[in-house]
Amino acid sequence: MHPGPEVHDGPIRRWYHALSQLQKWLVQGLAVLLAVGLVVVGFHLPGLLRHPYCADSGATTVKHVSGECIGVSDGSYVFAPELAGVEHAIRQENQMVTAQHPGEYVSVVVLLPISDSSGSIEAMSNVVEQLRGAYIAQYSANRKPVDGIVPAIQLLIGNDGYQANQWQAATRIIQDTQRRTRLAAVSGLGVSLSTTVAAADYLTGTAGIPVVGGTVTANEFDNIRDFIRVAPSNHDTIAVAVQYADSRQFKNAVLVQDENTSDAYDSTLVAGFEQFADSSHALVGRETFVSTPRTQATTDPQRVQADLMIRNRISQMPPDICTAQPAAVLFAGRGEDLAELVADLADRPCLNTPITIISGDDVTNLTFTPAVKRGLDTNVTVDYAGIANPGEWTAPSPDPATTAKGAQGFATFSGYAGQLFPGLPLSDGNTMTAYDSMLSAISAIRLTSQPQPTLQAVAGELGALHGSNEVLGASGPLDFYADYDTSKTGSDPDGKAIPILRLGTDGQSSVLTMEVPKSQVTGK
């Protein structure tokens, strides 16, 4: 090997030393730049690599939106592990439909706020129940005439996220789905929030898609053009609840109210229960709490903090309720918060005094815990105006003809439910109501007498669903007039009987009686 060049003192040596230093600095600088670059890339890598779609194939379009997967699935994309079983069944039915009826099928989206985050008003168990109900209607209508047998029905699952906060992204995906597929209607919606009202307005108005609501009960849904709902309005359910309170001869009550104005369910319950006070009845107390922070929360820690605040406020109410000595407590809030009140009443200072709570249908979202049972065991009774219940057709009713039709519709539903989900407990009305929502949409679609009807044709048949075209639902006969211009309740079912239920100490509800609001006029 040749020795390196001999460098003597002088200008050449100084030049060689400077060149060596420059080389050293360049290497060190490149190393630093490379390290910084790796840190930056590493920090942003998840965002750079994450595809904008959770899934995008065929009829399935699901996008990443604010940390959630929002959009529409034919069952090939599973929104939550708890939904895997029913989504798999829906996917199999959809595959049968597209394979055996390639030129004679349409799609219906069942839109729900699917979220496993704490504080979600729509519990995942309720989502499962509602998807089951929609699937039972799809499956039965593809085999048994429902105003005909054409077109066949493809069921798509729509998700607008936690508290339906991503309704804008979801409805635009549905609108785009309508352009690319054979969408004929949307059903479901899930919960009565301002976000859900906005979704219904956008779908029916801007997108021009007819919508059949399921468990949404807020009065804001009373008169939306090209929208009908199978559930009675809060106006009617609370009118029945007040009638029930009057029949029990309750002359005074304490009103417990959620002041969350963005929750349409709560605000309409408050307005309804205000009507209790008249010349022979009095509100002798009022207790308030606010669930707005929970509705507006965007992270789990925020939701946990909001829940703690709500529970703390409700825990302060029992002593004041005891002081007021009411005949009844009118609860205008969500089931999850009612659970807290029932649990806290177990430690009330007036344990020897019975407490009767009267509320609306969201009692079905109450999580039954040992603490709730303990409260009920201290002579606390929870009665509520519901939407549907399997026991309603064996309960006392003011109309035998309605009872007979209701029993017929429920028999069809329960027969298919038992076939598809052996041993399925039908403990409340979520599955029944989702079935009725989908069945009503299918009836409107089939009445068009078109193998692939236009959206306008389907919307035009919503007002035909009465008389000879009455829908025999699991929750009773359903009649719609869709008289949006001449009525303030054009979207509501006409003359629908409403069950009064009692929450038992085993967590199950039983039907006390069936009622129709005295103010409601049938055959309008």
Side-chain angles (χ1 to χ4, degrees):
M1 175 180 288
H2 257 313
E6 184 177 355
V7 180
H8 300 280
D9 289 338
I12 294 178
R13 181 180 179 88
R14 289 193 296 271
W15 174 84
Y16 183 80
H17 178 73
L19 185 62
S20 299
Q21 286 294 106
L22 178 61
Q23 183 182 29
K24 180 179 178 181
W25 293 338
L26 286 172
V27 170
Q28 291 176 339
L30 286 172
V32 171
L33 288 173
L34 180 61
V36 171
L38 286 173
V39 170
V40 172
V41 171
F43 182 78
H44 290 286
L45 193 57
L48 292 171
L49 293 182
R50 189 175 72 179
H51 196 275
Y53 290 90
C54 303
D56 186 27
S57 177
T60 296
T61 302
V62 183
K63 295 182 178 181
H64 287 288
V65 182
S66 299
E68 297 185 273
C69 286
I70 302 299
V72 172
S73 170
D74 62 1
S76 59
Y77 177 82
V78 177
F79 285 105
E82 298 92 329
L83 309 181
V86 66
E87 286 209 41
H88 177 69
I90 290 170
R91 185 183 187 190
Q92 285 188 313
E93 181 70 7
N94 287 339
Q95 288 173 334
M96 183 279 293
V97 165
T98 56
Q100 297 185 16
H101 307 277
E104 292 183 329
Y105 78 87
V106 295
S107 305
V108 179
V109 172
V110 54
L111 178 61
L112 298 168
I114 303 173
S115 173
D116 58 4
S117 296
S118 62
S120 178
I121 291 176
E122 187 81 295
M124 194 62 71
S125 60
N126 286 351
V127 175
V128 173
E129 291 167 348
Q130 293 192 55
L131 288 185
R132 283 175 179 163
Y135 168 61
I136 294 168
Q138 176 203 22
Y139 183 93
S140 61
N142 284 336
R143 288 157 181 80
K144 174 183 176 291
V146 175
D147 293 310
I149 58 173
V150 176
I153 305 299
Q154 180 189 49
L155 175 58
L156 303 179
I157 305 154
N159 178 25
D160 52 11
Y162 176 79
Q163 317 294 47
N165 286 341
Q166 306 306 329
W167 69 269
Q168 291 174 308
T171 54
R172 281 160 177 76
I173 290 173
I174 291 172
Q175 185 178 20
D176 186 58
T177 297
Q178 177 266 319
R179 297 188 183 108
R180 296 183 294 104
T181 64
R182 303 172 183 178
L183 184 65
V186 170
S187 72
L189 298 186
V191 291
S192 295
L193 296 169
S194 58
T195 48
T196 318
V197 176
D201 284 336
Y202 183 89
L203 288 169
T204 56
T206 304
I209 302 170
V211 179
V212 181
T215 54
V216 287
T217 59
N219 296 344
E220 282 83 344
F221 293 98
D222 276 345
N223 203 49
I224 301 174
R225 185 172 295 277
D226 296 340
F227 171 89
I228 59 174
R229 59 168 165 192
V230 300
S233 68
N234 280 347
H235 174 81
D236 287 341
T237 55
I238 298 309
V240 162
V242 171
Q243 286 173 207
Y244 170 72
D246 189 47
S247 71
R248 293 284 304 274
Q249 298 184 339
F250 293 145
K251 297 301 182 183
N252 60 67
V254 166
L255 175 59
V256 176
Q257 67 184 67
D258 183 356
E259 297 196 310
N260 182 356
T261 56
S262 66
D263 190 327
Y265 171 84
D266 290 350
S267 58
T268 51
L269 250 65
V270 172
F273 279 138
E274 292 276 5
Q275 304 307 309
F276 175 83
D278 58 22
S279 58
S280 56
H281 301 85
L283 289 175
V284 294
R286 191 183 300 262
E287 298 290 332
T288 63
F289 66 98
V290 184
S291 69
T292 307
R294 181 174 60 206
T295 302
Q296 296 178 343
T298 57
T299 66
D300 280 340
Q302 289 175 346
R303 292 171 191 127
V304 169
Q305 182 62 36
D307 279 335
L308 289 173
M309 179 192 72
I310 294 168
R311 289 200 295 268
N312 181 65
R313 173 64 191 104
I314 291 176
S315 71
Q316 299 163 355
M317 296 180 183
D320 292 328
I321 291 174
C322 285
T323 299
Q325 297 184 329
V329 174
L330 307 178
F331 188 84
R334 291 286 176 178
E336 61 183 315
D337 300 320
L338 175 59
E340 181 65 31
L341 178 62
V342 173
D344 290 335
L345 284 169
D347 299 314
R348 66 188 184 276
C350 55
L351 274 176
N352 294 328
T353 303
I355 300 288
T356 298
I357 300 173
I358 298 176
S359 192
D361 68 276
D362 202 65
V363 172
T364 60
N365 283 318
L366 178 150
T367 300
F368 195 81
T369 64
V372 172
K373 175 174 170 46
R374 179 169 171 261
L376 293 174
D377 286 339
T378 63
N379 213 358
V380 173
T381 302
V382 176
D383 295 340
Y384 63 101
I387 295 177
N389 184 275
E392 61 188 86
W393 305 121
T394 58
S397 169
D399 184 358
T402 295
T403 298
K405 290 179 181 178
Q408 180 182 347
F410 181 77
T412 300
F413 159 76
S414 60
Y416 279 105
Q419 174 185 339
L420 296 173
F421 302 101
L424 174 69
L426 300 174
S427 57
D428 62 54
N430 286 319
T431 307
M432 295 167 62
T433 306
Y435 168 88
D436 288 358
S437 175
M438 178 63 67
L439 188 67
S440 299
I442 294 170
S443 293
I445 291 167
R446 296 260 177 92
L447 283 173
T448 64
S449 300
Q450 299 174 13
Q452 292 181 17
T454 64
L455 296 172
Q456 292 83 356
V458 176
E461 296 295 339
L462 297 179
L465 300 178
H466 64 267
S468 59
N469 297 319
E470 181 179 62
V471 179
L472 294 183
S475 67
L478 295 161
D479 291 90
F480 299 96
Y481 291 85
D483 49 346
Y484 309 106
D485 291 331
T486 59
S487 170
K488 294 181 180 179
T489 57
S491 299
D492 296 347
D494 185 59
K496 186 174 182 181
I498 297 170
I500 296 291
L501 303 112
R502 175 165 292 171
L503 179 64
T505 55
D506 60 353
Q508 304 301 309
S509 294
S510 57
V511 181
L512 300 177
T513 185
M514 298 289 290
E515 298 287 347
V516 175
K518 293 177 182 178
S519 61
Q520 192 176 87
V521 179
T522 60
K524 57 188 176 183

